[in-house]
């Protein structure tokens, strides 16, 4: 068997086009575009590239760009003041604090300053609580991108055995919650899991977000499974994921590539979340007027 490749670039393009149409309709209705504020602290190269790409894609989708770049030495009070200002600005629909912060600073309390209605990364305790309770809210971008890819490929989820490798707040945990809401039977494997291959071989749907290059091989995968590789690692020979793609492709039925799988979906879902945030805010304000 050679696995079907789930093309994240193609699905991401569809999501961006949908989002651009929704952004245009929002602008038509309200007289102003949805707005995304990206907050970058310091000079981390990878973060600069990610933020530039988010801003460029947002503008291309008709979303107004409110970028703030703070110096490496910006303290908590300075970052908090910027977040408070963006929280109060009615033109800003969504706020994203780019992580990691410099010098390994804990972003915990700062993230909580983002109002739940503008939390387009879905990382606040309030957003994660809404997700855990299956209430409407903004969902973290990478796991919701994975779910969209699975839906587009019509992968059956109800009743399926789903295994998520990784339990981070950014990917693994919310991924497991989303799959649970799709009625999958969900198992979370992590760094302390005793026999990883024994657990992952149960999966009809295997989502790998361990951050360990090429951790998952053919021996970890049930024949006919759908395998989603969230990992991204820069190596001497290019980008690789958490999955040994060539050997897993011989066992799996469907597989996401790296690059071109989950990566492009993350930014597309961020844009979709920003428009959703703008729409929800508009609907919940009196008479549709933004206050
Ligand atoms: P993380 O380091 O916060 O979490 C990794 C998780 O994997 C942990 O919960 C840990 O328990 C588990 N783990 C580690 N080693 C393991 C092992 N040997 N066996 C089983 N479980 C193990 O990472 P993260 O933020 O969740 O990201 C995971 C990967 O996804 C990284 O490679 C990251 O670069 C990538 N990522 C990609 C995107 C994207 O847009 N494609 C977005 C976010 C993260």
């Amino acid at each position: 068997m050679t696995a079907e490749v789930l093309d994240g670039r193609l699905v991401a393009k569809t999501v961006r086009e949908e989002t651009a149409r929704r952004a245009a309709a929002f602008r038509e209705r309200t007289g102003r575009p949805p707005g995304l504020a990206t907050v970058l602290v310091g000079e981390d190269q990878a973060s600069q590239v990610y933020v530039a790409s988010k801003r460029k894609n947002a503008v291309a989708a008709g979303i107004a760009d409110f970028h703030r770049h703070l110096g490496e030495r910006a303290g908590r009070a300075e970052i908090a003041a910027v977040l408070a200002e963006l929280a109060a600005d009615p033109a800003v629909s969504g706020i994203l604090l780019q992580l990691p912060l410099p010098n390994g600073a804990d972003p915990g309390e700062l993230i909580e300053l983002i109002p739940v209605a503008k939390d387009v990364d879905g990382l606040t305790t309030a957003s994660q609580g809404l997700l855990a309770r299956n209430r409407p809210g903004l969902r973290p971008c990478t796991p919701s991108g994975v779910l969209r890819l699975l839906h587009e490929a019509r992968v059956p989820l109800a009743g399926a055995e789903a295994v998520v490798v990784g339990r981070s707040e950014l990917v693994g945990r919310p991924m497991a919650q989303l799959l649970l809401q799709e009625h999958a039977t969900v198992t979370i494997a992590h760094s302390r899991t005793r026999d990883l291959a024994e657990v992952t071989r149960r999966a009809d749907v295997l989502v790998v977000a361990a951050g360990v290059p090429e951790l998952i091989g053919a021996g970890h995968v049930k024949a006919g499974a759908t395998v989603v590789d969230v990992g991204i690692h820069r190596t001497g020979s290019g980008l690789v994921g958490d999955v040994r793609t060539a050997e897993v492709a011989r066992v799996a039925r469907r597989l996401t590539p790296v690059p071109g799988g989950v990566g492009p979906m993350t930014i597309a879902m961020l844009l979709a979340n920003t428009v959703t945030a703008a729409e929800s805010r508009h609907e919940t304000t009196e008479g549709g007027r933004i206050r």
Side-chain angles (χ1 to χ4, degrees), residues 13-219:
K13 182 167 175 278
T14 306
V15 173
R16 287 199 307 271
E17 287 167 356
E18 274 168 22
T19 305
R21 282 196 292 277
R22 287 170 58 204
F26 179 83
R27 185 179 193 146
E28 183 84 3
R29 224 168 40 245
T30 66
R32 69 169 160 217
L36 174 64
T38 46
V39 179
L40 175 64
V41 185
E43 307 300 330
D44 180 74
Q45 281 294 313
S47 292
Q48 294 201 24
V49 171
Y50 287 138
V51 168
S53 177
K54 288 168 185 174
R55 296 174 63 198
K56 188 176 124 219
N57 279 282
V59 170
I63 294 170
D65 173 34
F66 296 87
H67 176 61
R68 298 301 175 85
H69 189 173
L70 305 181
E72 189 85 21
R73 301 233 175 97
R76 289 193 169 266
E78 194 182 335
I79 304 171
V82 167
L83 292 174
E85 189 194 320
L86 296 168
D89 186 343
V92 172
S93 321
I95 302 171
L96 177 147
L97 176 62
Q98 183 66 36
L99 303 177
L101 294 176
N103 311 316
D106 177 8
E109 294 158 38
L110 290 168
I111 285 173
E112 300 302 335
L113 298 175
I114 299 172
V116 64
K118 297 190 178 190
D119 179 21
V120 285
D121 249 352
L123 289 181
T124 61
T125 302
S127 293
Q128 302 230 329
L130 291 171
L131 170 60
R133 298 189 66 184
N134 199 9
R135 300 273 177 84
L138 296 164
R139 309 307 194 207
C141 303
T142 300
S144 53
V146 170
L147 194 63
R148 178 72 190 255
L149 269 178
L150 294 172
H151 281 154
E152 290 285 330
R154 300 187 189 285
V155 177
L157 296 175
E161 288 283 343
V163 176
V164 179
V165 183
R167 56 177 165 181
S168 71
E169 285 181 20
L170 190 64
V171 189
R173 278 167 205 257
M175 186 75 250
Q177 294 282 359
L178 289 173
L179 289 165
L180 189 60
Q181 280 155 26
E182 296 292 321
H183 312 292
T185 303
V186 182
T187 304
I188 305 179
H190 48 77
S191 52
R192 307 278 182 96
T193 296
R194 222 177 296 128
D195 182 346
L196 183 63
E198 190 259 330
V199 175
T200 56
R201 271 199 306 267
R202 289 183 216 154
D204 302 308
V205 176
L206 176 60
V207 180
V208 189
V212 180
E214 305 195 310
L215 174 70
I216 300 295

